[in-house]
């Protein structure tokens, strides 16, 4: 039997501390309800932990991320207070192969914007809106086991234009009472990581208790989970195909790679027998494999 | 007749100052050769200027960008010395609708990585390689007027895996003597801007004098050029569709948007009758339209 | 100045003959209104002719297609009476590089289904529905010059799931009063031809007089119009890259290609100095280029 | 434990009867080697049967297809002799949700062309070519467990332009000694079915004994296998969302749907309490759900 997927559910946990209505709806926090849904539907297939913003390093230490296969992200009101160092770390983990699910108002989180490269702006209206969530990709694993449309009797409105790159897979499109539409379920690949954005649920509505929404998030966890054996972002590769050209001297190549990284102004952070990892332009960590 | 496309050709201009071989090949700089090709092929359809790294703000001031329809970017050796403030400005200009062509080693530039959200790493080998550039999208405007394959008798090798998001359009795929392949011609949309990445040409080879390569870059300029009437990134929109719900009070909505941006910790940088623009999380400038 | 785009507007012209309401709305036929819109917006940039189902070969003779750069297709009630030979001919013309715009109920036409390979089924409800057409790809040439949303006060409803292949570009998504959504503006590439499907307008509503709808169709004509110099579907290519391997004997290669096509049971329909064209499996005409 | 995937391996079985070299390489037929690879790698996860062209209805009866989750297709020399009725049946099964893997020269099969809507032509050269198969989508399930590149010491050459629609996922790109490139591993969705095209292996080379190639095909079987509970192509849907508009009379709606199908000239082939299935334009079977 496959090892359980290790899921970390990140909750901003701000509204739960400040808004009575949210406390009432989500006594264990939105993160608590999300975690509960995953345990309910995936059982022994997952090991779920929750972390919140107030913890040191927002609970997202190197060690936690190293032991996380899939991270889910709910944030809203205090995106700007998320530590840039943590964002960089999560970004690196995604490129290394960690799956990521960004929920609802996480569209404006630093991590989602950094991965997308766009504003992730959208059309917005609060208040009571009936949302219908339609499947436009019925063979996608994430769309299995839920009706089309799913119906949310009351929700806030997110509409187009949603400023994201063209999704790899567009799975769900929502409509709202006001006539708006929204590409609210879509996937992206970045480095060795898979990402699923899913637009429900606002903190004022009991969305994360809805069995269909829970099913979609559970499907999402399984889909973004990497099947690659090892973690690590795509390296710069100097290796040749065997048989093309003269044999290479790996040690010499490695020395050259190190020299080049230094000349290039990068900070060497790790070397192995055939790899050098250095930090350089734009905060990116680059590994050269020889 | 349509107004000419205002093109700014950015050149790093490092190798031209430090490597005799490059000076000899490109006496007017790589940027000079690129600009020359555009003038030759597009004539009165373009107004081309060149800027180089050494200029104040790398020549990419607010004013220059405001008057640039399409920016081409060639950089290689000193990516890490490009000022982050300039990178943010170029990023904003792309989201606002400026077209961008990233050439060759610009794959590792800060601006390309910021737009892609990935490492943009690739496989690499210097030395003499025959590169064939095949068209895999023969109806794309950028592929018109060139043979398939285009042949570069000698070039350095860029190979897969190229760590980019799935391109919107994959136009060219290269092969090399060593058996490598590379998705060397592809497009991306980010905000209101269009981007074309094109993998030729290394500074040691006379690639930017090649008529086919020049044709592709000229096609690229025309394709990334926005047809939108106004510049500006996709805003957050609070407006309703006319006829849905009660009429709105724009002034009250604007006041609420301002209050909300402030509460959110954003710095207000501009207000108009129906818009407020503020700077917030992740360095993004956000406009709310009411 | 570029030569005008030669547009052929195909109209089924059934409802115009049988339904008084349609006669009244469209005294010159739906095809007439579509043609009028193109002339109005593109002027000397187009040469527009209309053809209707009742004409011999539905007006779509070899000669007409050979002189058509872009074909627009409106059909609904008598798809099944469209001659298969004409469908095959239009299909070949698209693969050869003719642009195609399929409108509204043309989703179920033989030609669209043949190009898509799917049922092109959808959700449907007649009667009065308010349709909003949202732009989800604001940099696409087809989306220029129209508001988002465009508003159709009354229309019939087309909804998801729309059984089409993943579009190359998704440009417009509609919503309807009943809460349905529809990917009503999308593009596809097939062979050397470009295709635009656009879901407005039902024959009972004056959709093709709407200035925004006319603008989209005019944009569509310009976009699907091929920029390739010559017509012809992608051939099977036996040619080698110059310089790889020993020189080829073109005459011998051609003889082998002919022999092979015959052995393969294909009917030879044309030979030139370096090409043989034959008809074979699945009704496809294949050209081998040596 | 999940039920095993029921795989049917279709082999043309022509070369195995006529060419001594193929008989020697593949004493159990290419289909035999493909089936063997699936059994070896997927064990109890699959139930594999083989069928060949010479059988009545090519072994692809209604009953066989109804009990097939995934069909693999290898054909080459006698595509044109595949019965159109069988092709239509396989096409319908794919739209209904059966997975399909098309191998190598199956690119020119009737079924692949019918699903793609294009010529599926390509560049070709026989003889000994070294093929390298590069992964360009390293997170895709089909790419797991194989190196990049996979190396085929000797194969025939398939090159671009490959006349297919833009793939949903581009997974593998090959290079050849002659400098050609080929998008040889790609996926498509059609109706409720998923399709994987994979370009190895020619009958003259022992490709289907290669462990990497076997792994890719096994991964492909798992990926194209539908997770949907029921078979059936996407229907035309007349149903409304509960709560929108007055309640519907299903019986009356069904009667109207039947009447409409008949008026439309379709042949009614099945009715249930809320569905009518009829055969109409272009040979498509359409189900209306009320």
């Amino acid at each position: 039997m496959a090892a359980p997927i290790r899921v970390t559910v990140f909750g901003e946990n701000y509204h739960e501390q400040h808004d009575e209505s949210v406390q009432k709806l989500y006594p264990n926090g939105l993160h608590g309800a999300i975690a509960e849904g995953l345990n309910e539907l995936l059982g022994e297939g997952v090991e779920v932990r929750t972390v919140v913003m107030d913890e040191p390093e927002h609970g997202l230490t190197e060690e936690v991320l190293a032991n996380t296969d899939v991270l889910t992200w709910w944030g809203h009101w205090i995106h700007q207070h998320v530590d840039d160092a943590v964002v960089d770390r999560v970004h690196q983990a995604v490129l290394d192969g960690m799956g990521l699910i960004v929920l609802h108002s996480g569209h404006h989180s630093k991590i989602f914007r950094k991965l997308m490269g766009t504003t992730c702006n959208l059309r917005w209206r609060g208040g009571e809106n009936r949302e219908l969530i339609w499947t436009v990709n019925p063979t996608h694993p994430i769309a299995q086991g839920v009706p089309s449309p799913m119906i949310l009797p009351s929700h806030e409105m997110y509409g187009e234009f949603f400023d994201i790159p063209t999704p790899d897979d567009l799975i769900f499109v929502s409509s709202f009472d006001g006539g708006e539409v929204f590409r609210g379920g879509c996937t992206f690949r970045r480095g060795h990581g898979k990402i699923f954005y899913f637009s429900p649920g606002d903190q004022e509505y009991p969305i994360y208790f809805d069995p269909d929404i829970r099913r979609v998030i559970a499907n999402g966890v399984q889909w973004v989970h990497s099947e690659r054996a090892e973690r690590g972002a795509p390296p710069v590769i100097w290796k040749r195909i065997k048989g093309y050209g003269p044999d290479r001297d790996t040690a010499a190549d490695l020395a050259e790679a190190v020299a080049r990284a230094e000349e290039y102004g990068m900070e060497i952070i790790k070397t192995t027998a055939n790899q050098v990892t250095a930090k350089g332009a734009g905060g990116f960590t680059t590994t050269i494999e020889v």
Side-chain angles (χ1 to χ4, degrees), chain A:
Chain A
M1 201 186 134
I5 302 174
R6 298 166 301 170
V7 184
T8 300
V9 174
F10 170 81
E12 188 185 77
N13 202 30
Y14 175 90
H15 297 291
E16 293 94 327
Q17 307 290 333
H18 294 78
D19 304 336
E20 207 179 325
S21 56
V22 179
Q23 283 166 348
K24 226 167 146 177
L25 261 179
Y26 288 106
N28 301 319
L30 286 101
H31 48 283
I34 293 164
E36 187 188 285
L38 293 175
N39 280 317
E40 176 194 310
L41 290 172
L42 300 177
E44 297 190 356
V46 281
E47 273 176 25
V48 184
R49 89 177 94 190
T50 61
V51 298
V52 294
M53 182 95 171
D54 273 350
E55 297 177 44
E57 308 182 42
H58 313 318
L60 298 169
T61 60
E62 283 287 3
E63 202 203 327
V64 166
L65 290 183
N67 291 289
T68 296
D69 297 315
V70 174
L71 176 68
T72 74
W73 191 280
W74 195 102
H76 174 227
W77 197 246
I78 49 176
H79 290 319
Q80 73 275 24
H81 298 310
V82 176
D83 185 350
D84 286 337
V86 173
V87 175
D88 286 351
R89 189 187 294 159
V90 174
H91 186 231
Q92 184 67 45
V94 171
L95 300 181
D96 284 351
M98 183 182 72
L100 178 69
I101 298 183
V102 174
L103 292 165
H104 189 61
S105 43
H107 74 92
H108 256 178
S109 62
K110 289 178 177 177
I111 181 60
F112 192 55
R113 285 173 152 185
K114 191 177 178 84
L115 285 160
M116 298 294 106
T118 58
T119 68
C120 303
N121 286 340
L122 44 68
R123 186 175 291 261
W124 175 82
R125 185 177 63 247
E128 310 292 316
N129 299 278
R130 177 162 172 169
E131 178 175 358
L132 303 182
I133 305 170
W134 298 88
T135 297
V136 299
N137 196 335
T139 66
H140 200 285
I142 291 180
Q144 301 313 306
V146 295
S148 178
M150 293 178 271
I151 301 180
L152 299 177
S154 202
H155 200 212
E156 72 174 350
M157 184 281 291
Y158 276 13
E160 296 287 339
F161 176 63
F162 184 21
D163 179 23
I164 48 171
T166 311
D168 285 358
D169 299 312
L170 177 63
I171 306 172
F172 301 118
V173 175
S174 290
S175 73
F176 294 84
D177 285 2
E180 296 89 352
V181 299
F182 192 65
R183 290 170 296 161
C186 37
T187 70
F188 306 90
R189 297 162 188 266
R190 293 292 181 272
H192 284 150
K194 290 190 275 185
I195 302 163
F196 173 48
Y197 174 77
F198 189 46
S199 59
D202 183 73
Q203 71 277 0
E204 300 288 353
Y205 306 88
I207 306 283
Y208 294 124
F209 298 107
D210 181 291
D212 292 333
I213 300 300
R214 286 187 164 187
R215 171 58 64 196
V216 171
I217 298 173
N219 289 345
V221 162
Q222 295 180 308
W223 190 86
V224 300
H225 177 224
S226 174
E227 294 159 312
R228 295 175 60 84
E230 287 173 37
R231 281 275 272 269
V236 170
I237 300 183
W238 286 18
K239 268 189 308 201
R240 291 191 183 182
I241 308 311
K242 244 186 221 319
Y244 279 87
D247 275 356
R248 306 284 295 186
D249 176 340
T250 303
D253 271 7
L254 189 67
E256 186 189 331
V258 170
R260 195 143 174 165
E262 282 171 343
E263 188 179 353
Y264 206 79
M266 300 175 83
E267 174 199 0
I268 308 292
I269 59 182
K270 193 174 145 195
T271 54
T272 69
N274 71 332
Q275 288 190 334
V276 51
T277 299
K279 205 157 201 165
F284 277 94
T285 294
T286 299
T287 295
I288 299 175
E289 193 170 308
V290 297

